[in-house]
Amino acid sequence: MISILFYKHQDDPAPWLADLARHLPQAQIRMWHPGDADPADYALVWKPPLELLQRRQGLKAVFNLGAGVDVLLGFLREHPFLLPPHVSLIKLDDAGMAAQMNHYVGQAVLRHFRQMDAYGQLKQEMRWHVLPPKIQADYPIGVMGLGALGTQVASYLAAMGFPVRGWSRSRKHLAGVQCYSGEETLPVFLDGLQALVNMMPLTAQTENMLDRTVFNCLARGAHLINVARGAQVVDDDLLAALSSGQLGGATLDAFRTEPLPSGHPFWREPRIAITPHIAALTERTESIRQIASKIEALEKGESVGGIVDLARGY
């Protein structure tokens, strides 16, 4: 019988365990609790404690219940032998997150493009005033990170009629999107962007990458949309760029510390829109269907998608 260990940080495990049992009736599934050191074939986790993986016998694969694997990669950097070489780390391919991400980024772009915050301020002042409209052809948008979700977002924005640039570390080809790759092309990619969407995975190379150098490359008054990880934004540089007018606003869904502390200056900055990491939530039904299918394939010795390249970090 297949043995599955389950842990999902700050979430009710009961619906997940019930659905897993329906999709994998041949499996023995248990919720992890401190002190559980028994063997397991598969671990299904989101932000697990280190203890869950330490000296775990029998593992064939670890499934990450989300797209971002930075917590697990952090463990592996500090403990290189935490997972034996034969144990794959597997992330969700989509699980319903792409449509949510498209909607979230699309509304943030349109809010800036149609100057809705400025009209909101005019309403507060009880002023009836028409602002000069922005021209869509003159509103280039950049998407940093062309992974499974980034490619979807870039294509979605292009379908809306915006000129879209995409940037990634390795070369990509995407219809309707001007693609750039490699560090040497980053300044050209950023130059004159009206909106920048960050969808990069968090790695040692991408930490603190959104700084004053990046902001100064954008068009004056540009809008930053961060739906990746908070540690990629240099908070003080973002606040300085807003104060100087180099950035006109920011939509942030991820932060260095979550929940965002009540004393953080982002709360008091009216040009920053804040959401509590909800841009694309993991959908349980689709996630379990996907994981169950991959476990069945692995049990048959077949290959599966979503395996994380530990050297690259995604």
Side-chain angles (χ1 to χ4, degrees):
M1 179 175 286
I2 301 170
S3 175
I4 296 176
L5 191 61
F6 180 89
Y7 179 89
K8 197 166 191 297
H9 180 64
Q10 293 183 337
D11 203 357
D12 180 8
W16 286 83
L17 296 174
D19 284 354
L20 281 167
R22 281 194 291 272
H23 281 79
L24 292 166
Q26 74 278 28
Q28 181 184 64
I29 305 164
R30 71 182 190 273
M31 177 70 182
W32 181 83
H33 295 286
D36 179 345
D38 292 340
D41 296 305
Y42 300 97
L44 280 53
V45 300
W46 177 248
K47 295 185 177 180
L50 178 62
E51 180 191 350
L52 186 151
L53 295 172
Q54 282 182 315
R55 295 178 293 279
R56 183 69 56 185
Q57 298 296 312
L59 275 182
K60 301 175 183 177
V62 176
F63 285 86
N64 189 63
L65 300 175
V69 293
D70 42 288
V71 171
L72 292 172
L73 290 175
F75 286 163
L76 292 172
R77 282 194 296 270
E78 296 175 8
H79 306 274
F81 304 105
L82 182 65
L83 295 180
H86 69 276
V87 178
S88 297
L89 174 57
I90 304 173
K91 64 182 179 180
L92 296 177
D93 296 326
D94 180 340
M97 290 181 284
Q100 297 176 66
M101 192 66 81
N102 287 344
H103 298 158
Y104 184 95
V105 173
Q107 64 82 27
V109 164
L110 289 176
R111 187 169 187 86
H112 183 242
F113 176 68
R114 293 303 304 267
Q115 306 175 87
M116 299 310 294
D117 288 333
Y119 280 115
Q121 182 60 40
L122 288 170
K123 188 227 175 186
Q124 293 295 321
E125 299 169 3
M126 294 183 288
R127 292 175 57 206
W128 183 277
H129 175 65
V130 177
L131 298 169
K134 297 182 179 182
I135 307 302
Q136 197 169 21
D138 298 330
Y139 192 93
I141 303 170
V143 178
M144 294 186 75
L146 295 177
L149 294 180
T151 55
Q152 293 276 348
V153 167
S155 296
Y156 183 79
L157 294 172
M160 291 170 66
F162 290 101
V164 179
R165 305 174 197 167
W167 185 86
S168 55
R169 297 202 173 276
S170 57
R171 186 68 176 169
K172 300 289 178 66
H173 298 278
L174 198 57
V177 177
Q178 188 175 6
C179 293
Y180 297 82
S181 62
E183 293 290 338
E184 68 280 1
T185 69
L186 191 55
V188 179
F189 161 78
L190 294 168
D191 184 42
L193 290 176
Q194 294 284 350
L196 175 63
V197 183
N198 177 42
M199 304 197 68
M200 294 290 288
L202 179 60
T203 67
Q205 290 73 39
T206 65
E207 188 171 359
N208 297 317
M209 71 181 299
L210 297 176
D211 60 7
R212 69 184 65 191
T213 301
V214 167
F215 302 148
N216 288 339
C217 289
L218 309 179
R220 185 163 179 82
H223 196 87
L224 172 69
I225 302 167
N226 185 29
V227 289
R229 289 293 183 264
Q232 294 166 321
V233 178
V234 179
D235 292 359
D236 289 343
D237 287 5
L238 172 56
L239 291 167
L242 290 167
S243 179
S244 71
Q246 176 57 28
L247 287 182
T251 299
L252 306 180
D253 187 56
F255 306 90
R256 288 180 179 271
T257 302
E258 297 181 1
L260 186 65
S262 59
H264 198 287
F266 283 176
W267 286 116
R268 300 188 298 275
E269 173 52 70
R271 288 162 291 195
I272 295 180
I274 291 173
T275 50
H277 214 137
I278 51 79
L281 299 173
T282 302
E283 292 187 355
R284 185 180 73 250
T285 301
E286 172 57 25
S287 298
I288 291 173
R289 184 203 63 76
Q290 183 183 130
I291 290 169
S293 176
K294 289 186 177 183
I295 287 177
E296 290 171 349
L298 290 170
E299 287 296 298
K300 296 175 184 177
E302 299 171 357
S303 60
V304 299
I307 296 177
V308 176
D309 184 327
L310 301 183
R312 293 193 303 173
Y314 53 91

